Amino acid sequence: MQIETGMKYQISQSVKGNFNSADSLTVTTNNGMTIQFTLEDGKGHGSMPLDHLSYLLKRSSLTPVTSNKRALLSTESEEKIG
C-alpha cells in the first residue's frame, strides 16, 4: 500500500493509549523512510519510521479511512473497467 501525504488512518482501541487517545491520525509528510503525522482534535503530532506504520497496518492497529470522494472515484473506475 502506498502511504501518501494527507492519508487518514483510524486508530484501534488497543493502541489508542499510544496516540493520546486520538481516534485518527493524518500523514503530513513522507520522505520514504519516516512519516510525520498529526492526531485528530489537536491531540498532538509525531513521527515514526515507515516500517513501523506498515507493521501497525498489518496488525490492524491502524486502518485507512477512505474519503467519500476517493471511494466514489474508485467505484466509478471499477464500473468503467468492468
Side-chain angles (χ1 to χ4, degrees), residues 13-72:
Q13 197 66 30
S14 62
V15 295
K16 275 189 181 183
N18 299 333
F19 293 98
N20 292 340
S21 300
D23 291 325
S24 66
L25 66 83
T26 304
V27 175
T28 55
T29 60
N30 176 0
N31 68 8
M33 296 284 292
T34 306
I35 62 115
Q36 292 181 332
F37 59 88
T38 57
L39 298 172
E40 181 182 71
D41 295 332
K43 291 189 177 185
H45 60 277
S47 63
M48 72 176 85
L50 191 56
D51 291 343
H52 188 62
L53 179 67
S54 297
Y55 171 75
L56 291 172
L57 288 167
K58 280 183 188 176
R59 288 190 56 216
S60 298
S61 297
L62 296 177
T63 52
V65 176
T66 55
S67 68
N68 291 339
K69 287 182 182 178
R70 184 174 280 184
L72 181 61

